[in-house]
Amino acid sequence: SKLNLGVGAYRCDNGKPWILPCVKAASENIVKNNLHNEYAPIAGFKTFVDRGLKLAYGDDCKILNEGGVAGIQALSGTGALRICGEFINKYHPGGTKPDVYVPNPTWGNHIPIMEDSGLKVKKYRYYDSKTNGVDINGMLKDIDDAPDGSVMLMHVCAHNPTGADPTLAEWEDISKVCKKKGHFIVMDSAYQGFASGDPDVDAASLRMFVEQGHQIALCQSFAKNFGLYGHRVGTFSIVCDNAEEARKVESQLKILVRPMYSNPPIQGANIINTILEDEALTKQWFDDVETMAGRIIKMRQSLTDALVKAGSTEDWGHINKQIGMFCFSGLTPEQCDLLASDHSVYLTRNGRISMAGVTTGNVEYLANAMVGVRKKAP
């Protein structure tokens, strides 16, 4: 048997894709109500964008409620990031092109997206392989050493690929340094609700930065937390000074979008809007993300227990401390190669395990294989 631990999509405990019950119900409602298939506006459906941003920024976000956030529909997180890169390239104050700093490591697509937008990408320290956690001191120093007004790209929660997130106290320190340096913050939100099972907990870093006066850009994806991977649905938004500035920024965003992809697809937006406008379906969504997050958290503990059962004497506590879809296991590239050749277990060579691929039926096989390759290539 083969075990695929590289895919970045949720699987149920039978290893199969899972259609969220709220998504299924919303899709049935759309068919029943015979919603049209006309073009969406360039900026997407406003009701969807408004509800999506409310989910991210929170019901009590003052600047959002005052109309001071410019937001448009985007082609999931990737499309939002590309719009962001193009916007920074074209409209950065003074006509200069700031360097974009990304965590080391980060999601592989961050770098080509920003480079293809005409921006230079640099890295700040993020992960400490000795502790299998966040290198907060290195991160703070690199952010502080970066030129004033640099762009800092950050993961809101469930950092990909490491699964290691700063604590709220550490986020406070990060915010202070960024504020002192005048950095422009780009937040990538791909896992709200999927990480902890609580969408409000998962949005804490984003909301903290906004409350502390950062005029962030937010790249919001609904692929993971709504299971709408193929629908390419998300939002892009920028926190502005006020509603008048937000209207001007949105106008410029539409100018960027028009020659890029004209307008966004409608089905995913209709599904999410149908869910978030209905109290019962919204509650069901909260239950659904808790189900997904709960299974991932359970599999983390099961893998840790299985490693001990398989005879490992190492400390695998980082598996439980990390959060979200991925686990940065600590396996070396050579050990990952052996997992593939000797055990037909496939994961990326940096040791990243997609915990969504771990089930009650294969967790012991995985643990035995991991212990085996650790012994064979220590």
Side-chain angles (χ1 to χ4, degrees):
S1 61
K2 296 181 180 181
L3 184 52
N4 183 358
L5 300 179
V7 64
Y10 181 76
R11 297 291 181 261
C12 70
D13 198 46
N14 292 322
K16 303 296 183 182
W18 187 54
I19 299 176
L20 277 61
C22 66
V23 168
K24 185 176 181 180
S27 299
E28 291 171 350
N29 286 346
I30 289 170
V31 173
K32 180 181 177 181
N33 293 327
N34 196 28
L35 289 186
H36 66 75
N37 289 301
E38 298 297 312
Y39 288 122
I42 296 173
F45 291 134
K46 187 177 187 308
T47 53
F48 156 72
V49 173
D50 289 346
R51 290 188 172 104
L53 297 187
K54 180 102 33 190
L55 183 66
Y57 290 95
D59 291 335
D60 58 352
C61 178
K62 185 173 184 290
I63 189 67
L64 179 68
N65 292 332
E66 291 175 348
V69 178
I72 63 170
Q73 188 176 331
L75 306 184
S76 200
T78 301
L81 284 157
R82 184 54 188 264
I83 294 169
C84 181
E86 295 289 346
F87 184 86
I88 293 169
N89 187 6
K90 189 170 184 179
Y91 298 111
H92 192 266
T96 60
K97 294 183 181 181
D99 292 335
V100 178
Y101 286 77
V102 301
N104 185 23
T106 193
W107 179 50
N109 217 15
H110 278 151
I111 295 171
I113 288 171
M114 292 301 162
E115 288 181 340
D116 285 358
S117 298
L119 302 170
K120 185 175 181 180
V121 177
K122 295 183 177 180
K123 297 179 180 180
Y124 59 82
R125 279 174 285 180
Y126 186 84
Y127 186 73
D128 185 345
S129 59
K130 295 179 181 178
T131 64
N132 292 304
V134 176
D135 179 6
I136 188 61
N137 292 327
M139 180 181 181
L140 290 172
K141 186 176 189 311
D142 287 352
I143 292 174
D144 195 30
D145 288 345
D148 292 359
S150 296
V151 175
M152 294 290 159
L153 195 158
M154 300 180 180
H155 302 233
V156 173
C157 66
H159 179 271
N160 179 2
T162 70
D165 287 352
T167 65
L168 283 178
E170 290 169 343
W171 275 118
E172 288 273 5
D173 293 336
I174 295 166
S175 173
K176 289 176 183 177
V177 175
C178 289
K179 193 78 171 176
K180 180 186 76 171
K181 298 288 291 186
H183 294 326
F184 180 63
I185 311 302
V186 176
M187 294 287 225
D188 186 350
S189 179
Y191 296 96
Q192 185 185 2
F194 189 99
S196 70
D198 187 329
D200 293 323
V201 169
D202 292 344
S205 62
L206 156 69
R207 295 174 185 178
M208 175 192 296
F209 271 64
V210 175
E211 288 170 4
Q212 294 181 357
H214 293 276
Q215 292 185 306
I216 68 159
L218 173 65
C219 303
Q220 182 184 29
S221 168
F222 295 104
K224 307 293 194 303
N225 55 359
F226 280 81
L228 294 173
Y229 304 96
H231 285 278
R232 313 313 297 146
V233 58
T235 72
F236 176 68
S237 58
I238 299 178
V239 176
C240 303
D241 283 335
N242 49 51
E244 181 181 358
E245 184 178 72
R247 285 191 291 272
K248 294 176 181 178
V249 169
E250 183 179 324
S251 175
Q252 299 308 307
L253 291 174
K254 288 190 283 188
I255 291 172
L256 289 176
V257 165
R258 179 59 176 161
M260 190 184 297
Y261 57 83
S262 189
N263 45 31
I266 66 172
Q267 184 69 1
N270 277 333
I271 290 172
I272 293 171
N273 192 54
T274 299
I275 292 169
L276 296 181
E277 72 178 357
D278 183 277
E279 185 176 345
L281 286 179
T282 299
K283 181 181 183 304
Q284 180 64 55
W285 176 72
F286 273 81
D287 292 342
D288 293 345
V289 290
E290 187 174 7
T291 294
M292 291 190 289
R295 196 187 85 74
I296 297 294
I297 292 168
K298 179 181 177 181
M299 285 301 101
R300 289 181 179 277
Q301 184 62 57
S302 295
L303 179 56
T304 304
D305 294 342
L307 286 163
V308 173
K309 183 179 177 181
S312 176
T313 57
E314 297 183 56
D315 181 5
W316 296 97
H318 60 280
I319 294 176
N320 291 322
K321 291 177 182 177
Q322 294 168 5
I323 194 169
M325 182 172 288
F326 300 112
C327 163
F328 225 44
S329 64
L331 294 170
T332 66
E334 293 75 19
Q335 290 165 353
C336 293
D337 291 341
L338 287 172
L339 279 175
S341 62
D342 294 1
H343 303 278
S344 297
V345 174
Y346 301 94
L347 61 155
T348 54
R349 293 187 80 242
N350 60 7
R352 189 196 76 172
I353 294 174
S354 173
M355 293 304 299
V358 183
T359 69
T360 54
N362 64 32
V363 66
E364 290 192 1
Y365 178 81
L366 171 61
N368 283 312
M370 290 172 64
V371 171
V373 299
R374 292 289 259 194
K375 291 179 180 177
K376 190 171 183 178

